[in-house]
């Protein structure tokens, strides 16, 4: 009888050093499973198998799957650094935006935990690790002279742009990748000419989508508008 294929959840999750399990190791393994297979494949039982542990032992570090997912989000956001003491607030926000995009591209399956999951959780009940970027950006901007209210507006505008951008970039699909004609590659030839002439005319631009360049253009528009309409106090 042929052996069943190995469980993907058991791959690449090394056993904890010295046989000891920690919250950090558990979350790192959960992130590996999500990166490889998606959020829907993660469960406490599957994670326990990957760590060669009894499922009940994991509840010491996460009481349920929701808490586990929150921990994964915190783990990923730990990679996002904000320097609130940077005197160049515009340059720092650009650096934060580029870093956020890199994190999203490195962990595309985690993006729903970063973008949509927080919307279902009241602000004060969100994991503290997910609030630290907000606090750091507010500190950066208030030190630059913005009022607290204006600093919050800037944060919301920036992360609204970032969330929309990463969702767009990760879902950018080509209908017929083997086609050399841009109209055919994108499938825009199926649209009625009379109804969507402008969209069809942008086929070459749409086909040459560059996520990094698109983000920079969006930041140019956003930050130029912010500096023109919001004046930091001296």
């Amino acid at each position: 009888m042929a052996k069943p294929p190995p469980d993907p959840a058991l791959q690449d999750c090394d056993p904890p050093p010295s046989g000891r399990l920690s919250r950090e190791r558990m979350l790192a393994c959960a992130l590996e499973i999500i990166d490889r297979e998606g959020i829907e494949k993660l469960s406490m039982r599957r994670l326990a198998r990957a760590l060669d542990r009894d499922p009940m032992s994991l509840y010491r570090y996460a009481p349920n799957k929701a808490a586990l997912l929150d921990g994964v989000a915190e783990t990923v956001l730990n990679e996002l650094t904000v320097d609130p003491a940077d005197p160049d607030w515009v340059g720092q926000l650009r650096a934060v935006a580029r870093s956020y995009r890199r994190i999203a591209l490195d962990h595309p399956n985690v993006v729903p935990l970063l973008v949509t999951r927080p919307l279902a959780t009241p602000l004060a009940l969100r994991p503290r690790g997910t609030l630290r970027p907000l606090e750091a950006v507010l500190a950066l901007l208030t030190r630059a002279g913005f009022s607290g209210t204006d600093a919050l507006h800037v944060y919301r505008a920036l992360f609204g742009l970032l969330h929309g951008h990463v969702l767009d970039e990760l879902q950018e699909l080509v209908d017929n990748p083997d086609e050399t004609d841009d109209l055919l590659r994108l499938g825009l030839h199926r649209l009625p000419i009379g109804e969507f002439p402008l969209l069809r005319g942008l086929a070459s631009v749409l086909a040459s989508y560059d996520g990094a360049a698109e983000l920079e253009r969006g930041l140019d528009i956003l930050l130029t508008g912010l500096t023109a309409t919001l004046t930091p106090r001296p």
Side-chain angles (χ1 to χ4, degrees):
M1 179 182 296
K3 292 183 178 181
D7 186 342
L10 302 179
Q11 301 175 15
D12 302 329
C13 283
D14 297 328
S18 305
R20 296 179 181 177
L21 181 63
S22 65
R23 183 175 185 271
E24 291 72 21
R25 181 65 199 120
M26 180 188 72
L27 293 176
C29 186
L31 177 58
E32 290 175 20
I33 294 172
I34 291 175
D35 280 343
R36 197 164 54 238
E37 302 174 65
I39 295 173
E40 67 282 357
K41 296 295 184 180
L42 178 67
S43 67
M44 301 297 276
R45 184 173 298 277
R46 187 156 194 172
L47 179 58
R49 289 202 309 270
L51 289 166
D52 194 23
R53 287 291 187 276
D54 184 278
M56 296 305 297
S57 68
L58 304 186
Y59 290 96
R60 175 183 177 186
Y61 304 103
N64 49 48
K65 184 177 178 180
L68 180 63
L69 295 178
D70 286 341
V72 171
E74 287 186 287
T75 298
V76 171
L77 281 177
N78 281 339
E79 301 177 29
L80 184 66
T81 59
V82 182
D83 180 6
D86 190 342
D88 179 9
W89 67 271
V90 172
Q92 182 61 206
L93 291 185
R94 284 188 180 274
V96 169
R98 293 164 185 157
S99 178
Y100 191 89
R101 173 179 177 266
R102 175 191 58 76
I103 290 169
L105 296 182
D106 287 346
H107 305 287
N109 289 335
V110 181
V111 167
L113 299 182
L114 306 180
V115 176
T116 60
R117 182 175 172 81
L119 299 178
T121 307
L123 189 66
L125 298 181
R126 295 176 193 174
R128 292 181 183 179
T130 65
L131 295 177
R132 290 193 178 101
L134 167 57
E135 184 70 15
V137 170
L138 293 177
L140 168 74
L141 295 171
T142 52
R143 287 184 183 185
F146 289 97
S147 69
T149 300
D150 283 348
L152 184 58
H153 286 324
V154 173
Y155 173 87
R156 287 172 171 166
L158 175 66
F159 276 82
L161 169 67
L162 290 177
H163 291 163
H165 173 83
V166 297
L167 289 175
D168 280 346
E169 183 169 2
L170 291 173
Q171 295 178 20
E172 189 73 15
L173 299 176
V174 175
D175 189 42
N176 299 296
D178 295 331
E179 290 285 356
T180 56
D181 181 273
D182 291 334
L183 200 68
L184 298 178
R185 287 185 71 234
L186 296 173
L188 295 179
H189 62 288
R190 299 191 182 93
L191 297 179
I193 297 177
E195 292 184 36
F196 302 98
L198 298 177
L199 186 58
R200 288 168 59 98
L202 288 170
S204 60
V205 178
L206 292 167
S208 60
Y209 180 87
D210 182 327
E214 193 76 14
L215 177 61
E216 293 300 326
R217 180 59 177 150
L219 290 172
D220 287 343
I221 295 170
L222 174 65
L223 295 174
T224 298
L226 289 173
T227 54
T229 58
L230 299 178
T231 304
R233 296 187 301 267

